[in-house]
Amino acid sequence: MIKICKFFSLLLKGFLLMALLMSCSTLTAQHSDNINDRDVLYLTTGGKLNPLQAIMDIRHYTLALEVDMTHRSISGSAEVSLLLSQATDTLLLDLIHLYAVSKITVNNKRVNYIQHDDKIFITSPTGFSTGRKNILIYYTGIPPVAVRPPWDGGFTWAKDSAGNDWMSINIQGEGGKMYFPCKDHPSDEPNEGVDMRITIPAQLKVAGPGVLIGVTQKNDKATYHWKTNYTISNYCILFNIGKYKVVKDEYTTLQGNRVPIEYYVLEVDTPQASRVIATRKRDCAIMEKYFGEYPWVKEKMGIAEVPNSGMEHQTMITFDNKFIYKTIAGQDYSANLFHEFAHEW
């Protein structure tokens, strides 16, 4: 018990220091003078809520996207389901200017729209009445490349040590509009969750939030259907792609709930998986002791290996510590792995 308490005390100090450093790094990133070739470093999420969006209550997102790993592009559709509290002549969604929208329907009826200033203004000659609205947007484009992920966000395209394609998304500062149409404001999360259907080359895998409903394959492509029923922040609605091996285990919470552990580790790094999972179980026991049961017991405890520093993405945290650990009180400790996992509370 003394060793565990000593371990946690040192751990907590390290965690608080890391949080402070990350906050400072984020502030520095937001004022960077280095503009990348996609010119999106000016973007931030949140801010003052637009009146046109204040009357929209987001209920659900459905993303159906194909990722072209060769041309580093995405194409497909996003469905935004919302409740409109007031009649209006304009619906407003956020999507950066790097994507071309080809068609929009509202409740299965085609509507007019204008893309301007990283926004989509959707209009109708008769206006939009109150109640449920399902907005379906078809679009395509080349996502912005992350300059310094996860602080300056976007897509990171890489190769693993075996030469396989590897991709991660980080949008904590810029928000969901970096790659899908949304109401990009932290005051409103989708109450009914998110469905993601991501199509990729069949030899790769998709790591996403929530539960993997199924995988369908056609010719040389595979579509992964991920679903979460929890409310979720826009910056956590994302996925990672790689030549992954899924290593599974299980954790029993302090309330007696059995939660699947799923580690999306690169196939070349599979021998490291058992050590990461053992660390995860130990860290979860510590967090539960002080802060209560793991919050996402109905879905999973996920980890994905990515080619950049980690992030606290809901039910699928990411990390890359090169499998280097410190020894504290005789036990393994990874600041990156612990820090991102602690955010799950």
Side-chain angles (χ1 to χ4, degrees):
M1 179 63 70
I2 293 176
K3 285 187 176 181
I4 291 293
C5 291
K6 179 182 178 183
F7 176 75
F8 180 75
S9 177
L10 294 170
L11 210 59
L12 189 57
K13 291 178 181 177
F15 174 66
L16 292 173
L17 178 59
M18 179 69 74
L20 178 60
L21 290 173
M22 287 188 73
S23 297
C24 292
S25 297
T26 301
L27 289 173
T28 301
Q30 289 176 349
H31 292 84
S32 173
D33 292 327
N34 298 320
I35 304 301
N36 70 349
D37 62 339
R38 295 285 168 202
D39 191 23
V40 293
L41 282 184
Y42 63 87
L43 292 172
T44 57
T45 186
K48 186 176 181 180
L49 183 59
N50 190 297
L52 286 173
Q53 291 190 331
I55 60 175
M56 295 164 38
D57 175 18
I58 300 297
R59 308 304 296 179
H60 188 270
Y61 290 110
T62 300
L63 305 184
L65 299 173
E66 181 170 346
V67 181
D68 186 328
M69 303 295 288
T70 301
H71 298 97
R72 299 183 173 183
S73 65
I74 62 173
S75 61
S77 66
E79 184 175 23
V80 184
S81 181
L82 58 88
L83 292 177
L84 199 59
S85 63
Q86 296 179 28
T88 180
D89 59 4
T90 305
L91 300 172
L92 176 60
L93 293 174
D94 302 297
L95 180 68
I96 62 174
H97 62 279
L98 302 180
Y99 303 97
V101 174
S102 58
K103 178 183 176 182
I104 298 179
T105 64
V106 176
N107 291 355
N108 298 317
K109 294 182 179 180
R110 194 157 185 168
V111 294
N112 299 320
Y113 62 90
I114 296 173
Q115 283 186 264
H116 177 69
D117 194 25
D118 297 317
K119 299 182 185 298
I120 307 173
F121 296 86
I122 303 167
T123 61
S124 169
T126 58
F128 301 101
S129 60
T130 60
R132 189 105 181 189
K133 299 289 178 280
N134 293 313
I135 309 171
L136 183 59
I137 304 105
Y138 296 89
Y139 66 107
T140 186
I142 298 177
V145 175
V147 176
R148 191 169 65 98
W151 298 282
D152 290 334
F155 281 49
T156 298
W157 307 89
K159 300 282 187 180
D160 66 20
S161 60
N164 300 299
D165 284 324
W166 194 14
M167 189 278 289
S168 68
I169 303 174
N170 291 278
I171 50 176
Q172 69 163 336
E174 299 82 3
K177 62 180 173 291
M178 288 286 273
Y179 85 97
F180 70 96
C182 60
K183 175 183 175 180
D184 196 25
H185 200 277
S187 64
D188 195 3
E189 298 180 354
N191 305 68
E192 299 163 17
V194 175
D195 282 86
M196 305 181 76
R197 293 178 175 86
I198 309 301
T199 300
I200 59 167
Q203 72 272 20
L204 303 176
K205 289 184 172 66
V206 177
V211 176
L212 182 60
I213 301 300
V215 181
T216 58
Q217 188 165 336
K218 185 176 181 180
N219 299 326
D220 59 347
K221 295 179 180 179
T223 299
Y224 284 73
H225 179 190
W226 283 97
K227 182 180 183 65
T228 178
N229 289 308
Y230 288 109
T231 58
I232 184 170
S233 298
N234 279 353
Y235 80 95
C236 291
I237 302 173
L238 46 71
F239 54 91
N240 304 284
I241 299 171
K243 185 72 171 178
Y244 287 126
K245 171 76 173 178
V246 186
V247 180
K248 298 183 179 182
D249 207 316
E250 188 176 78
Y251 177 81
T252 302
T253 72
L254 55 74
Q255 299 287 346
N257 290 302
R258 297 164 67 180
V259 182
I261 298 176
E262 297 179 5
Y263 180 20
Y264 280 69
V265 59
L266 292 178
E267 286 188 352
V268 294
D269 292 329
T270 302
Q272 305 288 343
S274 60
R275 191 176 183 184
V276 171
I277 290 174
T279 302
R280 170 48 34 84
K281 287 183 173 181
R282 190 274 319 282
D283 291 348
C284 194
I286 293 173
M287 296 301 294
E288 286 194 317
K289 177 179 178 181
Y290 292 93
F291 302 110
E293 187 179 38
Y294 176 71
W296 319 112
V297 294
K298 295 180 180 179
E299 294 186 345
K300 73 174 183 303
M301 196 180 294
I303 316 166
E305 185 180 357
V306 293
N308 52 259
S309 181
M311 270 296 293
E312 70 272 10
H313 300 139
Q314 185 172 306
T315 74
M316 184 65 84
I317 72 105
T318 63
F319 90 111
D320 176 30
N321 72 340
K322 305 295 187 288
F323 306 105
I324 298 171
Y325 302 85
K326 291 183 178 180
T327 300
I328 299 179
Q331 299 185 50
D332 287 338
Y333 171 60
S334 164
N336 189 195
L337 189 59
F338 183 84
H339 176 104
E340 307 309 343
F341 184 55
H343 277 293
E344 297 287 74
W345 275 260

